[in-house]
């Protein structure tokens, strides 16, 4: 884990409704020593993996999404006896957010998801083409894995969705209703689509003549943008408070010093509100609160150890509308 002196814990309490978190990581099978590298275009990936490799094809689908594609794609290579999970663990705290395995069985996908879940950070993305494989992932009740069920795995809809949505401002949009390039929508009945959703995945279908993702949820049923937003707030607060401590000669253990930390947290929450992560009240004010203990309220032992654990915050999620029932009448 990177060196840091600031740790943020956020609990999402229901009901409620800086760092970019859009870089994908592809775990790619390649003979030789494991490496990690970030690429700005396909040429370097083609040279590293070969044009026919599954890792290259995933990267190509990500970059093919046009204006919304991420600035870079990270590639971490693995080869027997080193497993993809081992490589994931080794590079977990590098600068990426979404991880995809180049190819493998559902048990390999599950191992990746287990590793991500254990860290309580970042997300895994998979595509499956059978109810049986989906059921294995559903059993994990993952809060940090999302799955697309699609009858043509080779079209890599999960990579396309990351390319379309992952790098847009966190909180600014939902992962439902998104049109993907070079992915064929499935012709599903409502019952079949309901089965996909109940199974913990979502699909790519056509509604009202528009090709689009049918949902934007994780295996657990939580929304992708909720967890994405939670991580954005956590990491940005950690970064901003760490920057405050590192760039000042000293933050004094006084009420004024504590106020500086509170100010850094408030700045991040304001941006989170602007991005659409935090909701607003009727007056347009962002719905968050910050509580900071004064110096005199902190234990003397914490002051002696130069630790401040007295700041907490909460916020209400902005959420998004995924369904609408509209009632009307026609007067004749």
């Amino acid at each position: 884990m990177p060196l840091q002196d600031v740790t943020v814990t956020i609990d999402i309490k229901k009901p409620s409704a800086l760092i970019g978190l859009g870089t994908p990581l592809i775990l790619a099978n390649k003979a030789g020593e494991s490496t990690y590298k970030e690429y700005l275009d396909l040429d370097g990936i083609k040279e590293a993996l070969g044009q026919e490799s599954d890792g290259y094809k995933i990267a190509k689908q990500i970059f093919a999404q046009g204006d919304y594609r991420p600035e870079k794609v990270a590639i971490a290579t693995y080869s027997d006896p080193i497993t993809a999970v081992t490589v994931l663990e080794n590079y977990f705290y590098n600068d990426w957010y979404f991880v995809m395995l180049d190819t493998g069985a559902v048990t390999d996908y599950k191992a990746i998801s287990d590793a991500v879940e254990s860290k309580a950070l970042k997300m895994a993305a998979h595509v499956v083409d059978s109810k049986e494989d989906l059921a294995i992932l559903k059993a994990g009740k993952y809060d940090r894995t999302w799955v697309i069920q699609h009858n043509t795995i080779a079209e890599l809809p999960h990579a396309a969705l990351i390319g379309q949505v992952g790098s847009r401002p966190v909180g600014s949009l939902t992962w439902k209703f998104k049109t993907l390039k070079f992915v064929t929508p499935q012709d599903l009945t409502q019952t079949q689509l309901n089965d996909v959703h109940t199974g913990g995945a979502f699909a790519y279908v056509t509604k009202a003549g528009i090709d689009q993702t049918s949902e934007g949820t994780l295996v657990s049923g939580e929304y992708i943008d909720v967890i994405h937003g939670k991580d954005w707030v956590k990491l940005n607060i950690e970064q901003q408070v760490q920057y405050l401590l590192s760039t000042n000669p000293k933050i004094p253990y006084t009420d004024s010093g504590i106020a500086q930390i509170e100010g850094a947290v408030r700045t991040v929450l304001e941006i989170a509100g602007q991005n659409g992560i935090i909701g607003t009240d009727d007056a347009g004010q962002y719905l968050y609160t910050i509580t900071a203990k004064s110096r005199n309220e902190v234990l003397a032992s914490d002051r002696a150890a130069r630790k401040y654990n007295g700041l907490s915050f909460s916020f209400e999620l902005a959420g998004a509308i995924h369904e609408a029932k509209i009632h009307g009448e026609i007067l004749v």
Side-chain angles (χ1 to χ4, degrees), residues 210-274:
I210 301 173
D211 300 339
Q212 57 191 274
T213 49
S214 67
E215 252 308 340
T217 51
L218 297 147
V219 171
S220 66
E222 184 57 275
Y223 293 103
I224 297 171
D225 57 293
V226 167
I227 300 300
H228 205 190
K230 170 186 173 181
D231 285 350
W232 188 95
V233 172
K234 168 184 166 62
L235 294 174
N236 275 271
I237 287 178
E238 287 180 351
Q239 183 194 54
Q240 292 303 311
V241 176
Q242 182 72 58
Y243 182 81
L244 175 71
L245 298 176
S246 300
T247 57
N248 283 274
K250 181 174 77 171
I251 301 298
Y253 212 129
T254 61
D255 288 346
S256 63
I258 292 169
Q260 291 182 64
I261 296 175
E262 181 180 351
V265 172
R266 188 177 303 279
T267 296
V268 173
L269 294 179
E270 285 288 319
I271 296 173
Q274 295 165 17

Side-chain angles (χ1 to χ4, degrees), residues 42 45-57 60:
L42 278 174
I45 299 174
K46 182 193 297 186
E47 182 177 347
L49 301 180
Q51 191 169 349
E52 299 304 316
S53 69
D54 292 311
Y56 173 82
K57 291 173 183 176
K60 182 178 179 180

Side-chain angles (χ1 to χ4, degrees), residues 8-273:
V8 176
T9 302
I10 302 174
D11 294 320
I12 296 181
K13 296 183 177 179
K14 294 188 175 181
S16 71
L18 296 101
I19 289 177
L21 298 179
T23 301
L25 169 67
I26 302 169
L27 300 173
N29 195 324
K30 181 186 178 183
E33 185 179 353
S34 174
T35 61
Y36 175 95
K37 188 173 180 180
E38 296 168 1
Y39 298 87
L40 301 178
D41 55 46
L42 278 174
D43 291 339
I45 299 174
K46 182 193 297 186
E47 182 177 347
L49 301 180
Q51 191 169 349
E52 299 304 316
S53 69
D54 292 311
Y56 173 82
K57 291 173 183 176
I58 292 174
K60 182 178 179 180
Q61 182 65 299
I62 293 170
F63 281 130
Q65 300 307 306
D67 294 340
Y68 298 120
R69 48 152 279 191
E71 178 182 344
K72 61 185 179 181
V73 169
I75 306 285
T77 62
Y78 66 95
S79 179
D80 291 337
I82 300 175
T83 67
V85 172
T86 299
V87 170
L88 174 62
E89 294 275 0
N90 290 343
Y91 300 114
F92 194 86
Y93 293 103
N94 286 41
D95 185 20
W96 58 269
Y97 189 79
F98 302 100
V99 60
M100 291 166 285
L101 182 62
D102 60 348
T103 186
V106 69
T107 50
D108 300 313
Y109 294 160
K110 184 178 184 302
I112 297 299
S113 292
D114 288 341
V116 172
E117 199 77 10
S118 71
K119 304 289 188 183
L121 186 67
K122 305 191 177 184
M123 290 187 191
H126 308 305
V127 56
V128 300
D129 60 1
S130 72
K131 293 181 180 179
E132 292 75 19
D133 283 354
L134 180 56
I136 291 173
L137 294 172
K138 170 70 171 178
K141 301 179 181 179
Y142 298 116
D143 272 326
R144 293 185 170 275
T145 293
W146 50 268
V147 183
I148 296 181
Q149 185 172 334
H150 197 75
N151 53 14
T152 308
I153 287 180
E155 290 188 346
L156 306 169
H158 63 320
L161 183 56
I162 289 172
Q164 271 289 336
V165 182
S167 292
R168 301 201 212 183
V170 179
S172 67
L173 75 175
T174 174
W175 291 60
K176 188 178 181 180
F177 311 118
K178 297 302 172 284
T179 299
L180 310 177
K181 296 182 179 180
F182 308 110
V183 179
T184 306
Q186 295 185 86
D187 185 12
L188 301 178
T189 66
Q190 187 62 56
T191 299
Q192 290 171 325
L193 183 56
N194 291 341
D195 288 344
V196 171
H197 292 167
T198 302
F202 52 96
Y204 191 61
V205 296
T206 302
K207 293 183 180 181
I210 301 173
D211 300 339
Q212 57 191 274
T213 49
S214 67
E215 252 308 340
T217 51
L218 297 147
V219 171
S220 66
E222 184 57 275
Y223 293 103
I224 297 171
D225 57 293
V226 167
I227 300 300
H228 205 190
K230 170 186 173 181
D231 285 350
W232 188 95
V233 172
K234 168 184 166 62
L235 294 174
N236 275 271
I237 287 178
E238 287 180 351
Q239 183 194 54
Q240 292 303 311
V241 176
Q242 182 72 58
Y243 182 81
L244 175 71
L245 298 176
S246 300
T247 57
N248 283 274
K250 181 174 77 171
I251 301 298
Y253 212 129
T254 61
D255 288 346
S256 63
I258 292 169
Q260 291 182 64
I261 296 175
E262 181 180 351
V265 172
R266 188 177 303 279
T267 296
V268 173
L269 294 179
E270 285 288 319
I271 296 173

